[in-house]
Amino acid sequence: MALAVLLSACGSGGEGGGSDSADKEPEKAGSASSAPADPGKPAEDTGPTVPDTSATLATINGSNGFQIVIHSAVRDQGGFLTVTGSLKNPSSKMLIAPPQWSGQEVSVKQTGPSFAGITLLDKTEKKRYYVLRDTEGYPLTTTGITTVKAGETISMFAQFPAPPANTTQVDIQIPQMPVATIEIS
């Protein structure tokens, strides 16, 4: 009988499997934060999973109806450059994300919809930077966006190798969108 109670108690702790999926969701969004410490709080209040939208480096309006606002391009400690922004659908109808955003590489196409097709161009150094991939070939960028509802805004990010320290501006090139110049901080 005591064994049944013990197993039952362990089983109910395992039902917190929702917390496992909560742990995985921030990873998809590009955050390394773990599950909320206080289960009574909504996940939105538990850390920096949303980019700081107080700054605007560029607003890119595409002919496909999408608007992308770039909020930051920050050099990280490990030699990376992380670009954050917001994907917006300002229209009154649902928009379908263009498959070109995922890039043309066969290995990246196999990982599903993403922003792996974004590149940065350093005109000073005459170099193009591509979205980084993890050891399994998955792009270090927002993934899984296929449609965006009317009026919806989705946070996005993409991580690149950092250009040299003397490079302060790069052009961001998003397939099927106009090119924009952004400042690196």
Side-chain angles (χ1 to χ4, degrees):
M1 182 66 106
L3 181 58
V5 171
L6 179 60
L7 290 175
S8 173
C10 289
S12 69
E15 282 181 21
S19 94
D20 286 345
S21 64
D23 284 346
K24 292 178 184 170
E25 188 60 33
E27 288 177 23
K28 280 185 180 177
S31 170
S33 68
S34 60
D38 180 4
K41 284 186 176 180
E44 294 80 31
D45 296 338
T46 60
T49 58
V50 176
D52 178 7
T53 59
S54 62
T56 298
L57 301 181
T59 300
I60 307 166
N61 294 304
S63 59
N64 55 11
F66 285 105
Q67 180 182 70
I68 295 180
V69 178
I70 304 299
H71 299 295
S72 67
V74 179
R75 292 176 196 276
D76 296 337
Q77 295 268 339
F80 307 115
L81 178 73
T82 303
V83 176
T84 62
S86 300
L87 171 65
K88 297 182 178 188
N89 176 356
S91 77
S92 60
K93 61 181 181 173
M94 181 170 34
L95 296 176
I96 298 170
Q100 291 85 351
W101 285 354
S102 296
Q104 298 300 315
E105 297 173 53
V106 173
S107 62
V108 173
K109 284 182 177 183
Q110 294 173 352
T111 64
S114 70
F115 286 96
I118 296 175
T119 59
L120 300 179
L121 179 63
D122 178 352
K123 291 188 279 191
T124 306
E125 297 290 323
K126 295 183 172 76
K127 290 185 180 180
R128 182 177 309 275
Y129 296 92
Y130 295 87
V131 171
L132 292 168
R133 283 30 167 190
D134 69 13
T135 56
E136 296 179 13
Y138 289 90
L140 299 180
T141 184
T142 304
T143 60
I145 297 173
T146 55
T147 59
V148 182
K149 297 175 190 168
E152 186 177 22
T153 299
I154 299 172
S155 297
M156 57 174 282
F157 83 99
Q159 196 169 50
F160 303 86
N166 64 335
T167 300
T168 59
Q169 289 185 339
V170 290
D171 284 350
I172 185 164
Q173 299 174 325
I174 303 168
Q176 297 196 331
M177 304 285 282
V179 175
T181 301
I182 58 173
E183 295 283 332
I184 298 174
S185 57

